[in-house]
Amino acid sequence: MGRTKMIIAGAGIGGLTTALCLHDAGFDVQVYESAREIKPLGVGINLLPHAVRVLTHLGLQEELNKTAIATSELAYYSKHGKKIWQEPRGKFAGYNWPQFSVHRGTFQMLLLNEVKKSLGAGKVQTGFFLQQAMNKGNLVKAVLINKEKNEMIAVDGDVLIAADGIHSSMRRQFYPDDGPPKFSGIILHRGVTKAKPFLSSSSMIMAGSADKKFVAYPIQNSIDEDGNQLINWIADLRVSAEENIMPQDWNRRADKNKLLREFADWHFDWLDVPSLIDEAEAIYEFPMSDRDPLPRWSFGHITLLGDAAHPMYPIGSNGASQAILDAECLTESLRNNNDIEAALKEYEAIRLPATAKIVLQNRQMGPEQVMQIVEERAPGGFENLYDVISQEELESIAARYKQIAGFDKEALNKKQ
Ligand SMILES: Cc1cc2nc3c(=O)[nH]c(=O)nc-3n(C[C@H](O)[C@H](O)[C@H](O)COP(=O)(O)OP(=O)(O)OC[C@H]3O[C@@H](n4cnc5c(N)ncnc54)[C@H](O)[C@@H]3O)c2cc1C
């Protein structure tokens, strides 16, 4: 009997990490990606220590050290630029693994190169859109469409892993009434700007509150002779329901002038928000959306992974990290179980409740709740933070989220 054959649909962060984990465990893997060409798309993302642990086992930490920034601290500020909370991150906080801020495209290409090197270039086929799939006895049959050639192919495998993102066709097959992603009311404006380092030069900051928020962190060091960094930033703005007619397209361009008007007076002595916006190379907009947690992900020999299974708001820096944790867990379940159905059920039993909690927490702003609390209690600003919120309240919100998202330091550091 040959090696167990895994078909993965989607060569995003989740699909490619899963390919590497499964290959390491000795499985035969074939990836199909719908895009004709995999390009380094997106802006910045964060990889939390629990995900970096998995990537380290895949031998990728050294490469990440070269291309990413090891984030040293996270700080929350009010809309007037006054500090609410600050905490060290990654190794600076005593974790055994760093937290990395990195360009999504750079990271995806790093994973793709590693897959091609370890598995062989032919193991990632582009231009193939997973249309539908069915369980057939002990096999699964996947039907893929090559839109360019107007060609349909059917491939057999032992397992099909749908890592096909927020618009997953496999999720739609199992849940035809799921509908489009749920819009939060917030539009995310995402940009990258060459600028001088701010604060510690490896800080991640957030300022404002739910309706109007600015996030910034560097994703690449010393990009020119002037010592500039590539700074990733996200400006959140609440809009009326009628204003949101845009689809969930990660590559849609945004209007800079509207943003400049909205953030015109956000000149802080530690960061100049209007100039970051004004000097951006490009600005993209995306309606912040998620989907309700599902009752199940695994159907016979087919399962969902990453955003296909649990799209969540990009709050608490968890989207990519949770897809990476899925990859590790799925691989472990398949390695430990000869019965594929049982393995996929075990993976679901571990990861579905864990990610459902994060989806729901992120709807309540996750750890960023502290900014909202301060805004509601002191909309005009504050002189003394502790008149508005106590240190105990700040600490308990931060600790609770780490536990829910699975990166509680003591628990994580016990792992290999
Ligand atoms: C182009 C792009 C840009 C992004 N930019 C950002 C960003 O700037 N910031 C951020 O926080 N998150 C971004 N994301 C989302 C982020 O990558 C995910 O939330 C997270 O990394 C989980 O990854 P995933 O692999 O589950 O999903 P994704 O990273 O979304 O990957 C899904 C992959 O599946 C492919 N695909 C879709 N449908 C099919 C199909 N039917 N058959 C085969 N392949 C299919 C897609 O082309 C994509 O490559 C972006 C996603 C994409 C696709």
Side-chain angles (χ1 to χ4, degrees):
M1 203 182 120
R3 285 190 302 160
T4 313
K5 183 176 170 196
M6 308 288 168
I7 302 170
I8 298 175
I13 309 300
L16 292 172
T17 308
T18 307
L20 290 172
C21 290
L22 288 171
H23 172 75
D24 262 16
F27 295 107
D28 180 24
V29 181
Q30 180 67 51
V31 183
Y32 293 97
E33 160 62 43
S34 62
R36 205 150 31 106
E37 193 188 339
I38 300 176
K39 295 188 190 146
L41 298 175
V43 291
I45 57 166
N46 262 265
L47 302 169
L48 299 176
H50 51 6
V52 175
R53 174 185 152 270
V54 177
L55 299 170
T56 302
H57 288 169
L58 293 171
L60 299 176
Q61 198 187 132
E62 204 179 312
E63 225 20 64
L64 278 166
N65 268 324
K66 286 188 215 149
T67 49
I69 291 209
T71 306
S72 62
E73 62 167 0
L74 166 67
Y76 297 137
Y77 290 81
S78 72
K79 64 182 180 227
H80 301 110
K82 293 193 76 173
K83 196 185 289 172
I84 296 170
W85 173 255
Q86 179 181 18
E87 63 178 34
R89 300 292 278 194
K91 284 202 160 178
F92 298 84
Y95 284 94
N96 291 347
W97 299 275
Q99 169 174 339
F100 283 120
S101 297
V102 63
H103 191 287
R104 177 191 177 275
T106 307
F107 178 51
Q108 189 184 13
M109 298 319 275
L110 190 158
L111 291 171
L112 179 64
N113 290 339
E114 193 61 27
V115 169
K116 287 183 170 170
K117 199 171 82 191
S118 309
L119 283 70
K123 291 294 186 181
V124 181
Q125 296 218 21
T126 54
F128 284 97
F129 180 86
L130 174 69
Q131 175 88 341
Q132 55 169 309
M134 38 273 182
N135 287 292
K136 285 188 100 184
N138 268 337
L139 288 178
V140 54
K141 187 180 277 300
V143 178
L144 299 134
I145 295 185
N146 184 330
K147 286 189 178 154
E148 207 187 343
K149 293 189 185 153
N150 208 7
E151 190 178 88
M152 188 185 272
I153 61 162
V155 289
D156 287 340
D158 297 292
V159 179
L160 171 66
I161 298 148
D164 51 349
I166 190 165
H167 300 295
S168 167
S169 55
M170 210 30 46
R171 179 175 175 128
R172 200 165 44 246
Q173 176 180 310
F174 291 121
Y175 297 97
D177 300 328
D178 200 29
K182 290 198 158 171
F183 178 49
S184 62
I186 304 280
I187 303 286
L188 306 172
H189 303 82
R190 301 141 52 236
V192 174
T193 306
K194 285 181 194 161
K196 287 269 176 279
F198 65 92
L199 294 175
S200 71
S201 78
S202 52
S203 305
M204 177 180 200
I205 68 92
M206 301 189 190
S209 58
D211 292 355
K212 193 171 181 180
K213 189 176 82 182
F214 196 81
V215 179
Y217 52 89
I219 52 173
Q220 203 183 325
N221 264 328
S222 315
I223 51 165
D224 57 22
E225 282 160 9
D226 300 329
N228 282 320
Q229 293 178 315
L230 216 49
I231 310 283
N232 179 75
W233 56 263
I234 305 145
D236 294 9
L237 284 178
R238 187 173 295 283
V239 295
S240 63
E242 302 79 61
E243 266 183 273
N244 176 45
I245 44 161
M246 67 180 72
Q248 281 82 6
D249 172 0
W250 284 108
N251 304 314
R252 186 188 163 97
R253 294 286 182 122
D255 171 17
K256 174 170 32 182
N257 292 326
K258 180 180 174 206
L259 273 189
L260 281 173
R261 278 194 305 276
E262 288 284 352
F263 290 89
D265 55 352
W266 288 44
H267 299 283
F268 308 137
D269 52 6
W270 48 273
L271 187 75
D272 193 66
V273 172
S275 86
L276 269 188
I277 296 173
D278 200 27
E279 283 157 31
E281 288 163 9
I283 305 177
Y284 302 93
E285 58 187 5
F286 188 84
M288 185 162 98
S289 319
D290 67 3
R291 291 179 182 276
D292 287 334
L294 292 173
R296 59 189 279 209
W297 298 346
S298 297
F299 300 82
H301 288 215
I302 305 172
T303 197
L304 307 175
L305 181 140
D307 277 8
H310 49 69
M312 55 182 68
Y313 297 164
I315 283 179
S317 310
N318 257 297
S321 296
Q322 293 300 324
I324 292 167
L325 296 190
D326 289 351
E328 183 199 34
C329 177
L330 176 62
T331 304
E332 276 312 295
S333 295
L334 285 161
R335 198 206 302 260
N336 297 334
N337 272 297
N338 286 332
D339 179 341
I340 287 173
E341 259 190 83
L344 299 192
K345 275 285 162 207
E346 181 184 285
Y347 152 72
E348 174 190 294
I350 298 170
R351 294 298 299 154
L352 192 154
T355 49
K357 273 193 212 149
I358 307 173
V359 170
L360 299 178
Q361 255 294 313
N362 285 2
R363 286 182 184 170
Q364 310 300 318
M365 285 189 79
E368 296 166 24
Q369 267 174 56
V370 292
M371 294 156 75
Q372 188 64 20
I373 292 172
V374 169
E375 169 66 17
E376 282 167 13
R377 292 181 190 167
F382 56 83
E383 273 307 312
N384 180 1
L385 174 66
Y386 296 134
D387 292 341
V388 184
I389 188 166
S390 69
Q391 181 67 16
E392 293 75 46
E393 199 174 353
L394 289 165
E395 280 171 12
S396 81
I397 290 172
R400 191 156 161 257
Y401 190 76
K402 290 192 182 86
Q403 240 165 27
I404 289 173
F407 63 112
D408 174 65
K409 187 170 70 188
E410 277 68 40
L412 185 61
N413 280 354
K414 283 192 192 128
K415 293 190 180 177
Q416 285 289 304

